[in-house]
Amino acid sequence: MTITKRQLPTFLRFAKSPNLSQKLMVIGLVITLFFIFLAFFAPVFQAWGWLQNPKEFLSNLPQQPPSGEHWFGTSRLGNDVFSRTVFGAQAALQVVILATALSMVIGVPLGMVSGYLGGRLDKVLLFLMDSIYTLPGLLLSVTLAFVVGRGILNAAIAISIAYVPQYYRVVRNHTVSVKTEVFIEAAQAMGASTWIVLSRYLFFNVIQSVPVLFTLNAADAILVLGGLGFLGLGLPEEVPEWGHDLKQALEALPTGIWWTTLFPGLAMTCMVVGLSLLGEGLNEFVNPRLRRENGIRK
């Protein structure tokens, strides 16, 4: 009697023998979840007395080095750097998730409609998106930030416009290749409307790369938000934000006050690295060819 060994599903085999990219993805996932944890529980920690109010400065001595009372020291205004760094993760995630979600909600439907219908609409949208795509993202965000002003929603709108063409181009190219498949032609022959074809048959076949693009854009959006905050165009001054804190810290850096610059900058760097590693690792899950190539090299 021959005993046949049941093989594991693909995703379990993928995790059983991880290569370097997959290991880095796990590191990126841990870093990302850590910052999400901080963002969600920062108000709870403040309510328990573990974190100081990030807007409080009158009760603290200014420019104090890291100590047991103030783990990351205090700023030149007397703010607790540790508290502002933790709450900065909350502001960053709010703006970044909202910005990337807005760009995805706009870019994905436009890409599907443009790729499926074609014609003049496709040419006009291609020209418009290519025109936006050629502009530097930070410059475009700075220009829009001047127009819409400060605030979480306003900053998200200013940042999101630069990522719409990326979702549009990816989804549009996938739609053009998928719409000639037999199951799409069969649905059209059965009298399915354009909405039914787009929502039921095309949508889940053209969004495989969207999660990867989402995480990579989120990493870039953190840097753009930091740039806006550094220029004084991001969030209101009373909101803890890493870019604004770095701007304030640079004035004291030549005098040897290093902690007000190090910790917000380190937090921003770690969050960007975590999202980037997570996005690169997700790329292997949605790209079988890349997965096979990495498996051969391993």
Side-chain angles (χ1 to χ4, degrees), residues 61-170:
L61 294 175
Q63 295 183 343
Q64 295 299 303
S67 62
E69 183 179 1
H70 302 286
W71 291 359
F72 291 176
T74 60
S75 66
R76 67 181 184 87
L77 298 177
N79 297 112
D80 183 71
V81 178
F82 178 72
S83 178
R84 290 189 65 85
T85 301
V86 173
F87 274 91
Q90 186 181 62
L93 282 175
Q94 288 177 345
V95 175
V96 165
I97 291 176
L98 186 57
T100 47
L102 283 173
S103 58
M104 182 175 62
V105 168
I106 297 173
V108 170
L110 286 180
M112 291 178 60
V113 172
S114 178
Y116 182 72
L117 298 181
R120 290 186 177 181
L121 178 63
D122 185 39
K123 293 180 180 178
V124 171
L125 287 175
L126 267 177
F127 175 77
L128 178 62
M129 295 299 171
D130 287 345
S131 300
I132 298 175
Y133 191 72
T134 56
L135 299 174
L138 180 59
L139 178 61
L140 184 60
S141 298
V142 168
T143 304
L144 287 177
F146 271 114
V147 177
V148 299
R150 291 183 172 185
I152 291 179
L153 180 59
N154 294 343
I157 293 174
I159 295 173
S160 65
I161 191 66
Y163 302 126
V164 172
Q166 299 182 29
Y167 291 99
Y168 168 83
R169 289 159 66 97
V170 169

Side-chain angles (χ1 to χ4, degrees), residues 242-295:
W242 294 330
H244 176 72
D245 288 352
L246 286 175
K247 176 186 177 182
Q248 298 293 328
L250 282 181
E251 300 179 6
L253 186 60
T255 63
I257 310 299
W258 52 268
W259 52 89
T260 54
T261 306
L262 173 64
F263 295 112
L266 186 61
M268 184 187 302
T269 302
C270 289
M271 195 170 185
V272 171
V273 170
L275 287 169
S276 299
L277 293 178
L278 180 60
E280 292 295 337
L282 285 176
N283 194 29
E284 284 198 18
F285 281 100
V286 301
N287 192 338
R289 185 179 64 180
L290 181 61
R291 189 189 313 170
R292 289 194 297 267
E293 291 176 355
N294 287 340

Side-chain angles (χ1 to χ4, degrees), residues 136-204:
L138 180 59
L139 178 61
L140 184 60
S141 298
V142 168
T143 304
L144 287 177
F146 271 114
V147 177
V148 299
R150 291 183 172 185
I152 291 179
L153 180 59
N154 294 343
I157 293 174
I159 295 173
S160 65
I161 191 66
Y163 302 126
V164 172
Q166 299 182 29
Y167 291 99
Y168 168 83
R169 289 159 66 97
V170 169
V171 174
R172 185 253 177 198
N173 293 339
H174 284 178
T175 302
V176 170
S177 61
V178 172
K179 73 176 183 179
T180 58
E181 296 290 337
V182 176
F183 68 93
I184 298 295
E185 296 179 354
Q188 293 170 341
M190 293 170 59
S193 64
T194 300
W195 167 252
I196 294 297
V197 173
L198 290 175
S199 61
R200 183 174 300 179
Y201 299 102
L202 269 176
F203 179 73
F204 291 104

Side-chain angles (χ1 to χ4, degrees), residues 8-22 25 208 212 280-298:
L8 292 172
T10 303
F11 69 94
L12 290 178
R13 295 199 306 268
F14 187 44
K16 188 176 180 180
S17 55
N19 55 31
L20 179 60
S21 178
Q22 297 155 29
M25 184 192 69
Q208 292 91 344
V212 177
E280 292 295 337
L282 285 176
N283 194 29
E284 284 198 18
F285 281 100
V286 301
N287 192 338
R289 185 179 64 180
L290 181 61
R291 189 189 313 170
R292 289 194 297 267
E293 291 176 355
N294 287 340
I296 294 174
R297 289 196 300 265
K298 186 178 61 174

